[in-house]
Structure formats: structure tokens, C-alpha cells
Amino acid sequence: MLVGLVLALSGLILWQTAYWVRQFATADMRERKAHTLNLVIENLHGALAKFQYQPSLLAKRATFRNALDYYATTTLIDAASRELEKINFLSGALDMFIMNGAGIVIASSNWATEQSYRGQNFGKAPYFRAALQGRLGRHFAVDDASEPHAIGYFFAYPVRRDGTIVGAIVIKLHIERLAARWLAPDHETLVVDQDGIIFMSSRADWRFRSLKKLPPNAQKRIRQSKKYGDRSLASLPVSWNDARDQVTFHGEKDTTSLLLQKDILSAGWRVLILARLDDIDQRQTIALAVASFMLVSLILLAAFAHQRRLRLRERMLLQAAAQSVLESDVAERTRDLTEANAHLRQEISDRRRAETELKKTQDELVQATKMAALGQMSAGLSHELNQPLAAIRSYSDNARAFLERANLDPVRTNLASISELTDRMARIIRNLRVYARNEPMDIRPTSVGRALDEALALLAERLKSSGTSIHKDMPDDDIMVDGGEVRLQQIFVNVISNAIDAMKEAPEKRLEISVEDHDEHITVLIHDTGPGLPHTKMNDIFDPFFSTKEVGEGMGLGLSISYGIIKQFGGSIVARNHADGGAEFCVTLKRSLGNRKAAE
């Protein structure tokens, strides 16, 4: 039942984590893509608005009105074409031309090219018919003549002489060039007309395709208008989920995208952004991995605590049994002494010998129990992992806070720090296991300064919360010693942690750390302003399970483990009371051979 309850609770936590992370990530993506959608619409508005009022201004120029005169000479028409060519070049439009009342082009900006519009009849064009009705004509269509598959957008305005409409001036644009600016790795941008036909897209293979299958009457109307030439306008293989604003594209592998859309009423268009959900899936996967790791860690810690309690109970039962046997032996000997008055002297000698054996047996039992507990508890795993676990807790809390603010950069930094700490915890467990089994350790050149800095960084929160100030006296050059980075860092963490605890009640909390270079060896001095070490216990300070702290505040393994690691490094550690008060730990390490040669 307990296992089932744990599994059900873990599943619920993981499901809620996945749900809320996806909700937050979707909301964040929707906000970012909505901003992108507004930028695209403003871009289109700006491109059209730049030329929207130019036809009405040009229609008032005398040169163009004169060119529409029935008796206009070739000279007047050529002058109008040259002026259109000049204005077209300065404005950046594709082409400009003037049409008479019959829809025939009489002057154009491209009059000197092979693609000249002069003499062509565009009388059936919707923009020209709108201009003849006295209003601004707007129309877009595929312009296969000048550039295959390009979208031409036309503005037309009537030209009046004596209040009568005698023709129209037309400005032609190519808005297809704007689509090149919309390329993005995580979304696609589409512009569709009122029939749902895509005429602009960041993907070229989607152009001139419809979002949904067109009914027969719509297909007929579009073909008759020649708006898209003779193209088939096949529909995209998509399905729509309007409730969740999602679109699924069907192919070799179905892909689902988030849909954002907005209408451009003035042009009769609709702009769509299809944002891929890959980033949301990735963020959800990372969140599930982190949550799974934390759940597994908590379950393992609970299992470890339960196992430790069982071992403690077993040890107490063994001690009670041994004590019962000893008491039985003493009682038996006492009875023998009472019954054998004639042999009183011999019995007294036997009793003294029994008491000596009892003390020796008790001492051996205590030592054996200490070594058994050291192996059972994996060489003080809970003590050695206390600080990295606290750091992981802090990083994960910060990551959750930043995630709620949709601030991803600190989240990525915190998750990277958690990954580094887990690697470091794995190395710590391996090193503690080696120490417990007396296995040989891999000794390599290690930076003293970096190990000290990492230990202080790991204990930064404790130093800050306890109000402890740090004073370091370090050589300018980086010093390398024989050891291991994680194990050397753990030595400093243990010593500094004990110093912080020792200064709990001190009026001034100051930790002085200095490194002395003695050529063949390096000495690290760590001095605190606490009450110092009791003189009567100075020889026991590095014994396993020895502690001066209150019951429940420590297991007494930190200095013992540090002592063993330093011995395997070929160094030593000494504890003493400082002349100015407080305790001082002196850690002596062998200087690395490569570093020593460099110094020479």
C-alpha cells in the first residue's frame, strides 16, 4: 500500500508539473508570437500606407492631366512618361502608369523598356473600375507578366479635368518581397485573402494553396477573375482545432503548431502565424526530468533513513544481549564466591580478572560497533551530502520563481548549476565509498585556491545567514597540490562548517583563511573566533562519532573522514587553539611535482 501510494503521488506530481509547465510555456509563446504578428501587420500596413495617398497627389499634376487630353501630342505623352519614370524611381514603386477613360495605358514609367505598358488595355481591372467611380481603387493579383509568381498590388485614383473623370493614375507594387523578412526557425507566417488562399508565405511551397478546400462556386469565381491565373489552388493537408487554436499538418510525420491570426480590414487580408510546439515540448521534458530527479532523490533519502533506523535498532538489540550475557557471568561468579568461602582469595582474584575482561570486551564491542556503523552508513553519506542538497534546493526554488516570471535565462543557469552539483554529489559518494573500503584513490594535481573558492561558494548561504565574515590571505599564483578537487573541497567544507557551528554564540564571527607556501608542501590555516577546543578532548577530535555539538546536530564523522582523506593525499591535519582565541586547523598538503618544477 505504501509503495502504491508513493507511486500514485509521484505520478500526480509529474502530471501536474507537465500540465503547468506546458500552460506557462504556451502562454509565453502566445505572447511572443502575438508581438511578432503585430510587427508583421504593421510592416504590411506601412508598405501599403507609403503609397496609398500618392495616386491622389499625382492626379492633380498638370502634366498628367494634359496627357489625357484628346488632342494630346506625342511630346506631352512622352513628357508624362518621363516624369512617371522619375517619380517611380524616387518612390521605390514597381511601376506607375496613366490610363484613359477606355482603360488604355497612354503613359507609363517603363515606357522605354520591352515590358512597357503603353497601348495595353486594362479596362476590366477592378482597381480601374473603382477609380472610374470616383474612389481609390485597390486590388492585388498574381503578376506573371513582369515576374513569375509575384504578387502585384495596385492603387488607382481618378484624374479629373473640369470636374469630369477622364482617366486614372495607377501605382503598382510588389509586396511579395516583404515575405523574405519573415523567415524564422520556430514559426511560419502566412497572408491569406478573403477566400483563405495563401498568396504570401515564409514557405514558398505553401503559396497559392488554400487553407481549406474551396467550394465549386468559389473556384469558378476565382478562375474567372484571373486573380491567380490558372493555378489549381489545392488545399493544404491540415486539420484545425479551433478550441485550442492549434493546426496539425499531415504528412510523413504529423506536426502540430500554435495558431495566431489577425485581420487587416483595410486590405481584406488575414495574417496567420503558425508557431511550432518543439520549444514547449522541450521545456516540458526538462521540467519532467528535474521533477523526476527530485522525487527519486526524496524517495532514496526516505529509504536510507528507514534502513538506518532498522540498523540502529538491530545494534541496540545486540548490545542488550551482550550486556545480559555479561551480567549473567558476573552473577555466576558472585555465586561461586559466596558458596566457596574456603577459596576466598582465589575467588577475589578471579573476580578482578573477570572485571578486566569485561572492560576489554566492552571496549572491543564499542570499537567494532563504530566500524560497523561507518560501513553501514556509507561513510557518513548524509553528512557529506548535506551542503550540496541544500544548494540544489536553493537553485530549484530560484528556477521555479524565474520560470513563473517567464525569465528563462536564469532558469537555464540554475538548471546547469543543479546538473553540476549532481555530478559533484556522484563523485562525493564514490570518494566516500573508497574511503570506507580503504581503496586506493586517484591522486592528481589540484588547485588549492579553486577548491577553497568552491567550498566557500557552497557554504555562501550559511556564511551569510550566520553573519560570518571571511578574510583570505592567498598567494597571487595558483598553487597545485597532490589530491583530488572534490575530496579537497570536501575537506575544506567540513572544517569551515565546524567553524561556523563553533562561532554560533560568538560576539564576533570571523573566519581567517591563509595559505603558506613552504616549497615542498603547502599549509592551509583556518582560524575561527569561537570558544576554541576543550583541552581534555584534543586527542579525540579526529575519532569517528566524536562531536562537541548538541545531540542531533552532528554525527561526528566530518573531521574523521577529512583526516583519512588527507592521510591518503600524503598530508596531515592538526587542530589547536589559537593564541588570540578560537580554534585553528592546520592542513598540510604535498605540493604537486609539476607545479614544483614550474616554480623552480
Side-chain angles (χ1 to χ4, degrees):
M1 290 179 63
L2 181 60
V3 172
L5 180 61
V6 170
L7 292 177
L9 182 60
S10 300
L12 178 62
I13 293 174
L14 293 177
W15 175 71
Q16 284 294 307
T17 299
Y19 174 78
W20 286 112
V21 168
R22 192 168 194 88
Q23 291 296 315
F24 290 142
T26 302
D28 176 63
M29 176 176 285
R30 189 183 301 277
E31 182 178 353
R32 288 187 288 109
K33 297 311 175 185
H35 178 67
T36 303
L37 177 62
N38 290 332
L39 289 178
V40 171
I41 291 176
E42 290 300 323
N43 191 9
L44 289 171
H45 270 304
L48 298 180
K50 178 180 177 182
F51 298 96
Q52 182 174 354
Y53 300 102
Q54 283 193 19
S56 61
L57 296 175
L58 296 178
K60 299 177 181 179
R61 299 176 72 96
T63 303
F64 302 146
R65 289 201 306 269
N66 295 335
L68 288 171
D69 192 296
Y70 181 79
Y71 299 103
T73 63
T74 303
T75 303
L76 289 175
I77 293 175
D78 290 345
S81 294
R82 282 191 294 270
E83 188 165 351
L84 284 174
E85 182 180 20
K86 179 180 178 181
I87 295 174
N88 184 71
F89 175 77
L90 295 175
S91 67
L94 182 64
D95 289 308
M96 295 183 180
F97 51 91
I98 300 173
M99 303 170 63
N100 62 17
I104 299 174
V105 179
I106 63 169
S108 67
S109 60
N110 62 355
W111 65 283
T113 66
E114 294 180 358
Q115 292 81 23
S116 175
Y117 294 148
R118 288 175 61 169
Q120 297 189 35
N121 190 333
F122 298 143
K124 294 183 180 180
Y127 56 85
F128 176 69
R129 293 197 299 270
L132 288 184
Q133 295 173 8
R135 53 189 175 86
L136 177 66
R138 312 166 65 120
H139 183 65
F140 76 96
V142 177
D143 184 16
D144 290 323
S146 59
E147 184 179 343
H149 309 299
I151 297 295
Y153 196 90
F154 300 85
F155 285 109
Y157 195 81
V159 178
R160 291 180 173 87
R161 188 170 61 246
D162 299 330
T164 302
I165 298 176
V166 296
I169 185 164
V170 182
I171 295 180
K172 178 183 176 182
L173 315 174
H174 264 184
I175 58 173
E176 181 66 17
R177 302 170 183 173
L178 298 176
R181 307 176 187 174
W182 302 341
L183 295 177
D186 60 346
H187 70 265
E188 304 295 344
T189 304
L190 316 175
V191 182
V192 301
D193 63 9
Q194 294 174 338
D195 295 308
I197 298 172
I198 303 170
F199 61 89
M200 292 179 66
S201 171
S202 55
R203 282 188 56 169
D205 57 328
W206 287 0
R207 293 176 61 210
F208 309 124
R209 302 188 70 176
S210 61
L211 297 179
K212 298 180 180 179
K213 187 175 181 180
L214 295 172
N217 57 344
Q219 295 180 9
K220 181 179 179 180
R221 173 173 48 81
I222 295 171
R223 280 196 301 269
Q224 290 177 350
S225 68
K226 296 296 183 179
K227 190 176 184 179
Y228 297 106
D230 296 326
R231 291 170 177 80
S232 61
L233 305 177
S235 61
L236 290 175
V238 298
S239 58
W240 304 80
N241 187 341
D242 296 332
R244 302 181 63 179
D245 291 335
Q246 290 184 357
V247 180
T248 301
F249 289 86
H250 304 289
E252 295 182 1
K253 182 180 180 182
D254 292 354
T255 58
T256 303
S257 300
L258 183 66
L259 170 65
L260 288 89
Q261 56 185 338
K262 196 171 184 180
D263 293 332
I264 304 179
L265 298 178
S266 60
W269 298 342
R270 181 157 44 104
V271 181
L272 297 85
I273 285 185
L274 306 178
R276 301 184 186 92
L277 300 180
D278 297 345
D279 182 58
I280 295 177
D281 296 338
Q282 183 179 13
R283 290 167 66 176
Q284 187 180 43
T285 301
I286 293 174
L288 283 174
V290 173
S292 300
F293 170 77
M294 294 180 65
L295 283 174
V296 170
S297 300
L298 290 175
I299 293 172
L300 290 178
L301 284 175
F304 172 77
H306 178 68
Q307 190 70 15
R308 181 172 177 271
R309 188 177 67 175
L310 293 178
R311 294 290 182 269
L312 182 61
R313 182 181 178 184
E314 181 181 350
R315 185 174 62 182
M316 293 176 65
L317 291 175
L318 290 174
Q319 288 177 342
Q323 185 68 27
S324 178
V325 171
L326 290 174
E327 289 176 355
S328 177
D329 290 344
V330 172
E332 184 179 355
R333 284 176 174 77
T334 302
R335 266 192 323 271
D336 291 342
L337 286 173
T338 303
E339 294 173 357
N341 290 328
H343 304 284
L344 181 60
R345 187 184 294 261
Q346 183 65 31
E347 292 296 334
I348 293 174
S349 176
D350 292 339
R351 183 174 180 179
R352 289 176 178 173
R353 186 168 58 253
E355 290 176 351
T356 301
E357 291 176 358
L358 174 61
K359 185 178 184 302
K360 181 179 179 182
T361 302
Q362 289 176 333
D363 291 341
E364 291 175 352
L365 180 60
V366 170
Q367 183 63 25
T369 304
K370 288 182 180 179
M371 295 305 295
L374 184 61
Q376 292 168 355
M377 291 185 289
S378 301
L381 177 62
S382 63
H383 178 85
E384 297 301 331
L385 296 181
N386 184 42
Q387 299 301 330
L389 283 174
I392 290 176
R393 174 72 177 273
S394 177
Y395 281 134
S396 63
D397 289 343
N398 290 340
R400 182 172 60 189
F402 282 118
L403 187 61
E404 292 175 352
R405 302 172 189 169
N407 191 351
L408 300 183
D409 291 338
V411 173
R412 296 189 182 97
T413 302
N414 286 350
L415 292 179
S417 301
I418 290 175
S419 178
E420 293 174 359
L421 284 173
T422 55
D423 292 340
R424 187 174 301 165
M425 289 168 64
R427 294 198 297 270
I428 291 171
I429 293 173
R430 185 181 64 250
N431 293 332
L432 291 175
R433 186 175 66 250
V434 171
Y435 168 69
R437 297 181 181 175
N438 289 324
E439 295 178 355
M441 289 189 175
D442 181 20
I443 298 176
R444 57 188 180 277
T446 304
S447 170
V448 174
R450 184 165 60 251
L452 274 170
D453 290 339
E454 291 179 354
L456 290 172
L458 197 59
L459 296 170
E461 186 60 31
R462 285 196 62 194
L463 291 168
K464 180 179 179 181
S465 62
S466 63
T468 303
S469 61
I470 302 295
H471 299 272
K472 292 198 301 182
D473 183 12
M474 305 283 292
D476 294 335
D477 298 329
D478 194 10
I479 298 176
M480 308 297 287
V481 298
D482 290 339
E485 181 177 353
V486 173
R487 289 170 285 159
L488 185 58
Q489 175 188 342
Q490 288 303 116
I491 293 170
F492 294 141
V493 167
N494 289 336
V495 176
I496 295 172
S497 295
N498 287 339
I500 295 173
D501 293 335
M503 294 186 292
K504 183 183 300 183
E505 305 296 335
E508 180 184 8
K509 300 176 182 179
R510 185 178 72 256
L511 193 63
E512 298 177 352
I513 302 174
S514 60
V515 178
E516 298 178 357
D517 189 351
H518 301 289
D519 191 20
E520 296 292 330
H521 63 274
I522 304 301
T523 300
V524 181
L525 300 174
I526 302 176
H527 170 220
D528 62 57
T529 56
L533 302 170
H535 294 282
T536 57
K537 303 293 184 179
M538 196 73 73
N539 296 329
D540 303 329
I541 195 168
F542 295 107
D543 285 349
F545 303 99
F546 175 82
S547 176
T548 60
K549 302 175 185 177
E550 295 293 333
V551 176
E553 292 185 357
M555 297 178 62
L557 288 172
L559 292 178
S560 174
I561 292 173
S562 299
Y563 181 86
I565 294 175
I566 293 174
K567 282 295 184 184
Q568 294 193 17
F569 288 170
S572 63
I573 180 171
V574 176
R576 60 197 177 200
N577 287 323
H578 198 273
D580 297 333
E584 182 180 66
F585 283 80
C586 176
V587 179
T588 302
L589 300 165
K590 292 173 62 177
R591 186 164 186 163
S592 176
L593 180 62
N595 190 251
R596 184 160 61 246
K597 289 181 178 181
E600 293 173 357

